[in-house]
């Protein structure tokens, strides 16, 4: 029996009791326990007789010597459990010299809690039966056999620094699907191996190997959930292979982070995972990362992005008896075959709060130059340490510190290009240097992976995220500190008197309106003859008046007009704001209220004199929506002062309505009053600190005013409150782009795309897929306060571009990964892309716009309503995350952001000129009064979609502003003749009506 070194800190394992035990023979079997760790026998317990109840008192203690300098290390404790084998000692038979023993089962004790800061823990370890054991025949309802185990160390194995700054890496290899057809389950036994290396102790690399994969033919899908297994061989009990409380649960393809998560990949993956051959491992390996290794891990991910995961096949060699551990000198790296590599994108682990990535990754032939180009890795884990493979592929071989190959480190970041070129690493089948591209036939076996479409499914998980994420509670607290919530309204004195006075006023107004209706029907003269009329005539007139009021709907309008005043009386006079507890209480209150209202009605009517009634001038009451429309029309007519009056009137009437504050803030952005716009948006947020629209607008203003720390808080809080918001994630990605944080920018854009795809897939599955062109439908959760009808669109002011759209540099490689399913909707300016300066990345381009003349601003504002949302109202293909964000930004006049988003839209893989693309270009030039360019792009738009009413609407605006009213009339008439309305019909009708009036005046003048 091997003995463990006595140096280091002992980890004591004590088996106190066994429960529900059962033997082969007799009711009181004699058993003992053997403890093993890392293929080393720690000791045997005394032989204990099991009681009739199936319990046994073992009190058996062993220890494992932990020594970080050598021997048992933290990595060993992480992925190697303690095996407790329960063996029955059979009674001696006649003439039998030695005792016979039979193994009953094995229990597994996971030592992982010791790496999580625990110094002691207790567990009830299930005893898994070996094949043929009487424990297999346990009847239903009988408890499973188990051992009570206590683990103790005198002091924690990890210091507080190691606990807080270290990490635990778990890598789960599930399977390789769609393997080459040349992989046959018959013939010589093969060891299918997968390996990768990670930093473990500082700069030292630790190899993680998965061996002994099981080749299966197709026919059925692997079940889920299914348990994860220990990466250890020679486990006697099949159930002991499973890691406690660890399962492979699978999940939708679209939620994976791998390469085959698009809708068009679903069919291939379904076939591969159901029909085609596959290699199954289901193994989980763990590795402890000390603080220095965590830093190295983060840096290497940031530098290399992709991690090489190698796969290979080697012959399975059975070691002769008595020669375990001796290597055959004739075996070399020529045993290596079907050497492939999968490139795992590890960047998501640098996203805030991300601890786990899981996905499917294509397998490519292993070629040195390709691997180096993709991962900056110079050496192969398998081939360049081939002399270690014999130990690795022995039957029952496991990974141990003594058998770890010395893996060369990755090329350091500071190595110069000259040094790299000087390297002459030979490829696996030729003397070609690294810098010379080898052809595919240098690895013909690996090429079969590519032809078969082989892919690995694996999961990488950390105990804690490499980049911590702010909690929603912290973000909400920071927002509350910056923008305190609206204080509770103070109770106004004289509220009851004011409520009664308002009621009197409403009674007077309604009585005047009814009297006017009576005068309209019977004339004012009949009023003077009222005393001379008989009662039957008066009753008949009363009935006729009631009929007219009900038939015309005025009666219900009067009721609605009076309702608010009655509600105020209930709240202010009677102080009733809660529901009634019983029906009797409700009826009593209603009776009392009715009597009071009738009395006050008589008081109000007695105050109204006939002379006052006849001479009264009816007041025209405007609604909030009418005021908003008046303000919009004033913007179009360049009357900004009147527009401000209308917006402020809305605020005076309903200061607690956050929609009014948002509309006024958007108007302030139109007039370039950023300070007042910020005040409006913050006031709206103070009214409702969970309003996503307000949070995003506050973030936009913070960026425009260069308060970047506040902007990040606003955007992150929006994504936490509404994680499905496409616009919120896209705006967060644009913010990170300003900060030159490419990894987080990629994370935000990826999440936005995933949410968009999820929404589209859900709509398709329910059969209600609709056009995504309407802003409110596109982002219903984002902007509940903005209506979607054409009459409520907010004016848009697109400034003349100060320069080409920046920020395009470097985004193509990011977008290639996740924007392939976006539609071909375009709204980015082609002239910006053609400008030679468009690739220059300017700092703060959202903010640094060239000032334009006041006259230019007015011209742009006057044209703002020509086509504020040129892509609404007509059928469109599914949108992209950038187009959806553009529409939101255009609604709130945040044109500075639009330029950058247009650059991203231009670089979308699904990009290309479309009708919408040319419409946006025409809109841009129309706002700058560049009529020639606008007309050119409108012609191109018409060629692509001749039946688009928006094209003809914008054409009409073009000719109207150009003074060509005859052409404008023709375009407007064609616009209104379409079955589908254009995006903004209000101004089409207004300007067409104006043209008709002008023509009538001309005809009248000609007749005179």
């Amino acid at each position: 029996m091997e003995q463990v070194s006595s140096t280091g800190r002992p980890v004591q394992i004590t088996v106190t009791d066994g429960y529900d035990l059962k033997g082969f023979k007799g009711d009181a079997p004699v058993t003992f326990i053997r403890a093993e760790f890392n293929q080393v026998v720690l000791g045997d317990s005394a032989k204990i007789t099991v009681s009739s109840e199936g319990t046994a008192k073992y009190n058996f203690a062993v220890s494992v010597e932990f020594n970080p300098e050598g021997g048992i290390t933290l990595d060993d404790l992480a992925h190697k459990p303690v095996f407790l084998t329960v063996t029955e000692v059979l009674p001696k038979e006649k003439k039998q010299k030695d005792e016979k023993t039979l193994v009953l089962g094995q229990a597994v004790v996971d030592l992982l809690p010791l790496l999580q800061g625990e110094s002691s823990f207790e567990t009830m370890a299930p005893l898994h039966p070996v094949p043929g054991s009487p424990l297999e025949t346990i009847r239903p309802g009988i408890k499973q056999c188990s051992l009570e185990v206590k683990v103790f160390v005198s002091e924690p194995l990890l210091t507080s620094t190691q606990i807080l700054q270290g990490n635990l890496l778990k890598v789960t290899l599930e399977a390789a699907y769609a393997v080459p057809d040349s992989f046959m389950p018959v013939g010589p036994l093969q060891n299918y191996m997968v390996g990768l290396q990670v930093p473990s102790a500082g700069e030292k690399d630790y190899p993680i190997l998965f061996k002994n994969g099981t080749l299966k033919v197709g026919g059925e899908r692997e079940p889920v959930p299914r348990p994860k297994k220990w990466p250890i061989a020679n486990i006697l009990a099949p159930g002991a292979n499973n890691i406690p409380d660890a399962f492979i649960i699978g999940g939708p393809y679209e939620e994976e982070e791998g390469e085959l998560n698009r809708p068009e990949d679903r069919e291939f993956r379904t076939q591969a995972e159901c029909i085609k051959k596959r290699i199954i491992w289901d193994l989980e390996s763990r590795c402890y990362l000390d603080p220095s290794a965590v830093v190295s891990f983060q840096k290497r991910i940031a530098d290399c992005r992709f991690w090489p995961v190698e796969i290979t096949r080697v012959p399975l060699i059975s070691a002769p008896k008595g020669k375990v551990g001796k290597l055959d000198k004739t075996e070399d790296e020529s045993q290596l075959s079907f050497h492939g590599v999968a490139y795992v994108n590890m960047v998501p682990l640098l996203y805030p709060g991300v601890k786990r990535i899981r996905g499917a990754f294509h397998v490519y032939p292993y070629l040195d130059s390709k691997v180096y180009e993709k991962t900056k890795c110079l050496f192969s884990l398998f081939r360049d340490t081939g002399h270690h493979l014999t130990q690795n592929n022995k039957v029952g071989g496991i990974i141990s510190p003594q058998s770890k190959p010395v893996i060369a480190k990755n090329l350091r970041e500071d190595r110069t290009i000259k040094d790299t070129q000087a390297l002459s690493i030979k490829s696996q089948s030729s003397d070609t240097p690294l810098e010379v591209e080898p052809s595919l036939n240098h690895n013909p076996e690996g090429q079969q992976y590519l032809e078969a479409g082989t892919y690995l499914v694996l999961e990488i998980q950390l105990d804690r995220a490499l980049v911590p994420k702010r909690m929603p509670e912290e973000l909400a607290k920071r927002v509350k500190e910056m923008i305190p919530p609206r204080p509770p309204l103070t109770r106004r004195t004289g509220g009851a008197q004011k409520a009664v006075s308002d009621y009197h006023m409403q009674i007077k107004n309604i009585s005047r309106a009814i009297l006017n209706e009576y005068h309209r029907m019977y004339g004012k003269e009949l009023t003077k003859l009222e005393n001379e009329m008989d009662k039957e005539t008066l009753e008949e007139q009363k009935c006729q008046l009631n009929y007219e009021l009900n038939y015309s709907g005025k009666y219900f309008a009067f009721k609605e007009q009076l309702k608010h005043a009655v509600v105020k009386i209930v709240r202010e006079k009677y102080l009733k704001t809660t529901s009634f507890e019983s029906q009797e209480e409700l009826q009593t209150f209603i009776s009392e209220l009715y009597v009071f209202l009738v009395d006050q009605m008589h008081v109000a009517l007695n105050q109204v004199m006939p002379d006052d009634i006849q001479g009264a001038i009816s007041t025209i009451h405007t609604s909030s929506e009418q005021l908003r429309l008046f303000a919009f029309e004033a913007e179009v007519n360049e009357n900004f002062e009147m527009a401000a009056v209308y917006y402020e009137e809305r605020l005076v009437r309903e200061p607690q309505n956050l929609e009014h504050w948002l509309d006024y803030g958007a108007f302030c952005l139109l007039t370039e009053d950023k300070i007042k716009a910020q005040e409006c948006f913050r006031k709206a947020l103070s009214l409702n600190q969970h309003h996503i629209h307000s949070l995003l607008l506050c973030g936009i203003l913070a960026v425009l005013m260069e308060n970047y720390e506040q902007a990040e808080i606003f955007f992150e809080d929006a994504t936490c409150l509404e994680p499905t918001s496409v616009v919120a994630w896209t705006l967060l990605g644009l913010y990170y782009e300003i900060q030159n944080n490419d990894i987080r920018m990629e994370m935000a854009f990826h999440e936005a795309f995933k949410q968009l795809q999820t929404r589209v897939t859900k709509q398709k599955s329910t059969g209600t897929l609709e056009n995504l062109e309407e802003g409110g439908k596109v982002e219903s959760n984002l902007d509940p306060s903005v209506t979607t009808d054409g009459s409520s669109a907010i004016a848009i002011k697109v400034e003349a571009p100060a320069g080409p759209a920046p920020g395009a540099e470097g985004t193509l490689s990011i977008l290639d990964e996740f924007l392939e399913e976006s539609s071909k909707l375009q709204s980015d300016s082609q002239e910006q892309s053609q400008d030679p300066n468009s690739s220059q990345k300017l700092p703060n381009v959202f903010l640094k716009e060239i000032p334009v003349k006041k006259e230019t601003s007015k011209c742009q504002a006057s044209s703002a309503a020509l086509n504020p949302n040129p892509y609404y109202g007509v059928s469109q293909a599914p949108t992209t995350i950038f187009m959806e964000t553009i529409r939101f930004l255009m609604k709130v006049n945040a044109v500075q952001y639009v330029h950058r988003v247009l650059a991203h839209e231009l670089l979308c893989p699904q990009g290309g000129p479309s009708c919408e693309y040319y419409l946006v270009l025409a809109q841009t030039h129309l706002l700058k009064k560049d009529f020639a360019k606008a007309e050119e792009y409108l012609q191109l738009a018409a060629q692509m979609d001749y039946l688009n009413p928006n094209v003809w609407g914008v054409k009409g605006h073009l000719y109207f502003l150009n003074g060509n009213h005859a052409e404008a009339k023709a375009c407007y008439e064609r616009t209104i003749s379409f079955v589908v309305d254009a995006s903004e019909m209000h101004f089409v009708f207004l300007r067409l009506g104006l043209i008709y009036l002008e023509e009538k005046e001309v005809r009248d003048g000609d007749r005179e």
Side-chain angles (χ1 to χ4, degrees), residues 350-387:
L350 297 185
Y351 297 166
V354 174
K355 300 187 293 185
R356 171 184 178 269
I357 59 174
R358 177 184 179 274
F361 302 91
H362 278 298
V363 177
Y364 300 91
Y366 191 98
L367 298 170
D368 286 308
S369 60
K370 288 290 186 181
V371 173
Y372 175 75
E373 177 185 352
K374 197 84 171 177
T375 68
K376 303 297 186 294
C377 186
L378 285 171
F379 301 102
S380 165
L381 177 64
F382 293 136
R383 190 201 64 232
D384 295 323
T385 55
H387 56 282

Coordinates of all heavy atoms in Angstrom, one line a residue, residues 350-387:
L350 N -15.4 37.9 -20.4 CA -15.0 39.3 -20.0 C -16.2 40.2 -20.0 O -16.0 41.4 -19.7 CB -13.9 39.8 -20.9 CG -12.6 39.1 -20.9 CD1 -11.6 39.8 -21.8 CD2 -12.1 38.9 -19.5
Y351 N -17.4 39.7 -20.3 CA -18.6 40.6 -20.2 C -18.9 40.7 -18.7 O -18.8 39.8 -17.9 CB -19.8 40.0 -20.9 CG -19.6 39.9 -22.4 CD1 -20.5 39.1 -23.2 CD2 -18.6 40.5 -23.1 CE1 -20.3 39.0 -24.5 CE2 -18.4 40.4 -24.4 CZ -19.3 39.6 -25.2 OH -19.1 39.5 -26.5
P352 N -19.4 41.9 -18.3 CA -19.8 42.0 -16.8 C -20.8 41.0 -16.4 O -21.9 40.8 -17.0 CB -20.4 43.5 -16.8 CG -19.8 44.1 -18.0 CD -19.6 43.1 -19.0
G353 N -20.5 40.3 -15.3 CA -21.5 39.4 -14.7 C -21.6 38.0 -15.4 O -22.3 37.2 -14.9
V354 N -20.8 37.8 -16.4 CA -20.9 36.5 -17.2 C -20.0 35.5 -16.5 O -18.8 35.7 -16.4 CB -20.6 36.6 -18.6 CG1 -20.5 35.3 -19.3 CG2 -21.6 37.5 -19.3
K355 N -20.5 34.3 -16.1 CA -19.7 33.3 -15.5 C -19.7 32.0 -16.3 O -19.0 31.1 -16.0 CB -20.3 33.0 -14.1 CG -20.3 34.1 -13.1 CD -20.7 33.7 -11.7 CE -22.2 33.3 -11.7 NZ -22.6 32.9 -10.3
R356 N -20.5 31.9 -17.3 CA -20.7 30.7 -18.0 C -20.9 30.9 -19.5 O -21.6 31.8 -19.9 CB -21.9 29.9 -17.5 CG -22.3 28.7 -18.2 CD -23.6 28.1 -17.6 NE -24.1 26.9 -18.3 CZ -25.0 27.0 -19.3 NH1 -25.5 28.1 -19.6 NH2 -25.4 25.9 -19.9
I357 N -20.2 30.1 -20.3 CA -20.5 30.1 -21.8 C -20.7 28.7 -22.2 O -20.0 27.8 -21.7 CB -19.4 30.8 -22.6 CG1 -18.0 30.1 -22.4 CG2 -19.3 32.3 -22.3 CD1 -16.9 30.6 -23.3
R358 N -21.6 28.4 -23.1 CA -21.8 27.1 -23.6 C -22.3 27.2 -25.0 O -23.0 28.1 -25.4 CB -22.9 26.4 -22.8 CG -23.3 25.0 -23.3 CD -24.5 24.4 -22.5 NE -24.8 23.1 -23.1 CZ -25.6 22.9 -24.1 NH1 -26.2 23.9 -24.7 NH2 -25.9 21.6 -24.5
G359 N -21.7 26.3 -25.8 CA -22.1 26.4 -27.2 C -21.4 25.3 -28.1 O -20.7 24.4 -27.5
A360 N -21.8 25.3 -29.3 CA -21.2 24.4 -30.3 C -20.1 25.1 -31.1 O -20.3 26.2 -31.6 CB -22.3 23.8 -31.2
F361 N -19.0 24.4 -31.4 CA -17.9 25.0 -32.0 C -17.4 24.1 -33.1 O -17.1 22.9 -32.9 CB -16.8 25.4 -31.0 CG -17.2 26.3 -29.9 CD1 -17.7 25.7 -28.7 CD2 -17.1 27.6 -30.0 CE1 -18.1 26.5 -27.7 CE2 -17.6 28.5 -29.0 CZ -18.1 27.9 -27.8
H362 N -17.2 24.6 -34.3 CA -16.8 23.9 -35.5 C -15.4 23.3 -35.2 O -14.5 24.0 -34.5 CB -16.7 24.7 -36.7 CG -18.0 24.9 -37.4 ND1 -18.7 23.8 -37.9 CD2 -18.8 26.0 -37.6 CE1 -19.9 24.3 -38.5 NE2 -19.9 25.6 -38.3
V363 N -15.1 22.1 -35.7 CA -13.7 21.5 -35.6 C -13.1 21.7 -37.0 O -13.6 21.3 -38.0 CB -13.8 20.1 -35.3 CG1 -12.4 19.4 -35.2 CG2 -14.5 19.9 -33.9
Y364 N -11.9 22.3 -37.0 CA -11.1 22.5 -38.2 C -9.8 21.6 -38.1 O -9.4 21.2 -37.1 CB -10.7 24.0 -38.3 CG -11.9 24.9 -38.4 CD1 -12.4 25.4 -37.2 CD2 -12.4 25.3 -39.6 CE1 -13.5 26.3 -37.2 CE2 -13.5 26.1 -39.6 CZ -14.0 26.6 -38.5 OH -15.1 27.5 -38.5
P365 N -9.2 21.4 -39.3 CA -7.9 20.6 -39.3 C -6.9 21.4 -38.5 O -6.8 22.7 -38.7 CB -7.6 20.4 -40.8 CG -8.4 21.5 -41.5 CD -9.6 21.7 -40.7
Y366 N -6.0 20.8 -37.8 CA -5.0 21.5 -37.0 C -3.9 21.8 -37.9 O -3.2 20.9 -38.5 CB -4.5 20.6 -35.8 CG -3.6 21.4 -34.9 CD1 -4.1 21.9 -33.7 CD2 -2.3 21.6 -35.2 CE1 -3.4 22.6 -32.8 CE2 -1.5 22.3 -34.3 CZ -2.0 22.8 -33.1 OH -1.2 23.5 -32.3
L367 N -3.7 23.1 -38.1 CA -2.5 23.6 -39.0 C -1.9 24.7 -38.1 O -2.5 25.6 -37.6 CB -3.0 24.2 -40.3 CG -3.7 23.2 -41.2 CD1 -4.4 23.9 -42.4 CD2 -2.7 22.2 -41.7
D368 N -0.6 24.6 -38.0 CA 0.2 25.5 -37.1 C -0.1 27.0 -37.4 O -0.4 27.8 -36.5 CB 1.7 25.2 -37.2 CG 2.1 24.0 -36.5 OD1 1.7 23.8 -35.3 OD2 2.7 23.1 -37.2
S369 N 0.0 27.3 -38.7 CA -0.2 28.8 -39.0 C -1.6 29.3 -38.7 O -1.7 30.4 -38.2 CB 0.2 29.0 -40.5 OG -0.7 28.2 -41.3
K370 N -2.6 28.4 -39.0 CA -3.9 28.8 -38.7 C -4.1 29.0 -37.2 O -4.8 29.9 -36.8 CB -4.9 27.8 -39.3 CG -5.0 27.8 -40.8 CD -5.7 29.1 -41.3 CE -6.0 29.0 -42.8 NZ -6.6 30.2 -43.3
V371 N -3.6 28.0 -36.5 CA -3.8 28.1 -35.0 C -3.1 29.3 -34.4 O -3.6 30.0 -33.6 CB -3.3 26.8 -34.4 CG1 -3.3 26.9 -32.8 CG2 -4.1 25.6 -34.8
Y372 N -1.9 29.6 -34.9 CA -1.2 30.7 -34.4 C -1.9 32.0 -34.8 O -2.0 33.0 -34.0 CB 0.3 30.7 -35.0 CG 1.0 32.0 -34.6 CD1 1.5 32.1 -33.3 CD2 1.3 33.0 -35.5 CE1 2.2 33.3 -32.9 CE2 1.9 34.1 -35.1 CZ 2.4 34.3 -33.8 OH 3.1 35.4 -33.5
E373 N -2.4 32.1 -36.0 CA -3.0 33.3 -36.5 C -4.3 33.6 -35.7 O -4.6 34.7 -35.4 CB -3.4 33.1 -38.0 CG -4.2 34.3 -38.6 CD -4.6 34.0 -40.0 OE1 -4.2 33.0 -40.6 OE2 -5.4 34.9 -40.5
K374 N -5.0 32.5 -35.3 CA -6.2 32.7 -34.6 C -6.1 32.8 -33.1 O -6.8 33.6 -32.5 CB -7.1 31.4 -34.9 CG -8.6 31.6 -34.6 CD -9.3 32.3 -35.7 CE -10.8 32.2 -35.5 NZ -11.5 32.9 -36.6
T375 N -5.1 32.1 -32.5 CA -5.0 32.1 -31.1 C -3.7 32.5 -30.5 O -3.6 32.6 -29.3 CB -5.3 30.6 -30.6 OG1 -4.2 29.8 -31.0 CG2 -6.6 30.1 -31.2
K376 N -2.7 32.8 -31.3 CA -1.3 33.2 -30.9 C -0.7 32.1 -30.1 O 0.2 32.3 -29.3 CB -1.4 34.5 -30.0 CG -2.0 35.7 -30.7 CD -1.2 36.1 -31.9 CE -1.8 37.4 -32.5 NZ -3.1 37.2 -33.0
C377 N -1.1 30.8 -30.3 CA -0.6 29.7 -29.6 C 0.4 29.0 -30.6 O 0.1 28.7 -31.7 CB -1.7 28.7 -29.2 SG -1.1 27.3 -28.2
L378 N 1.6 28.7 -30.1 CA 2.7 28.2 -30.9 C 2.8 26.6 -30.9 O 3.3 26.1 -31.8 CB 4.0 28.7 -30.4 CG 4.3 30.2 -30.8 CD1 5.6 30.7 -30.1 CD2 4.5 30.3 -32.3
F379 N 2.3 26.0 -29.8 CA 2.6 24.6 -29.7 C 1.3 23.8 -29.5 O 0.3 24.3 -29.0 CB 3.5 24.3 -28.5 CG 4.8 25.0 -28.6 CD1 5.1 26.2 -27.8 CD2 5.8 24.5 -29.4 CE1 6.3 26.8 -27.9 CE2 7.0 25.1 -29.5 CZ 7.3 26.3 -28.7
S380 N 1.3 22.6 -29.9 CA 0.1 21.7 -29.8 C 0.2 21.0 -28.5 O 1.3 20.5 -28.1 CB 0.1 20.7 -31.0 OG -0.8 19.7 -30.7
L381 N -0.9 20.9 -27.8 CA -1.0 20.2 -26.5 C -0.7 18.7 -26.7 O -0.1 18.1 -25.9 CB -2.4 20.4 -25.9 CG -2.6 19.7 -24.6 CD1 -1.7 20.2 -23.5 CD2 -4.1 19.8 -24.2
F382 N -1.1 18.1 -27.9 CA -0.9 16.7 -28.1 C 0.4 16.4 -28.9 O 1.2 15.6 -28.5 CB -2.1 16.2 -28.9 CG -3.4 16.1 -28.1 CD1 -4.6 16.6 -28.7 CD2 -3.4 15.7 -26.8 CE1 -5.7 16.5 -27.9 CE2 -4.6 15.7 -26.0 CZ -5.7 16.1 -26.6
R383 N 0.5 17.1 -30.0 CA 1.6 16.7 -30.9 C 3.0 17.1 -30.4 O 3.9 16.3 -30.5 CB 1.4 17.4 -32.3 CG 2.3 16.8 -33.4 CD 2.4 17.8 -34.5 NE 3.0 19.1 -34.1 CZ 2.5 20.3 -34.3 NH1 1.3 20.4 -34.9 NH2 3.1 21.4 -33.8
D384 N 3.1 18.3 -29.9 CA 4.4 18.7 -29.4 C 4.8 18.1 -28.1 O 5.9 18.4 -27.6 CB 4.4 20.3 -29.3 CG 4.3 20.9 -30.7 OD1 4.8 20.3 -31.7 OD2 3.6 21.9 -30.8
T385 N 3.9 17.4 -27.5 CA 4.3 16.6 -26.3 C 3.9 15.1 -26.5 O 3.4 14.5 -25.7 CB 3.6 17.1 -25.1 OG1 2.2 17.2 -25.3 CG2 4.1 18.5 -24.8
G386 N 4.1 14.7 -27.8 CA 3.7 13.3 -28.2 C 4.2 12.2 -27.3 O 3.6 11.1 -27.2
H387 N 5.4 12.4 -26.8 CA 6.0 11.3 -26.0 C 5.3 11.1 -24.7 O 5.6 10.1 -24.0 CB 7.5 11.6 -25.7 CG 7.7 13.0 -25.0 ND1 7.6 14.2 -25.6 CD2 7.9 13.2 -23.7 CE1 7.8 15.1 -24.8 NE2 8.0 14.6 -23.6

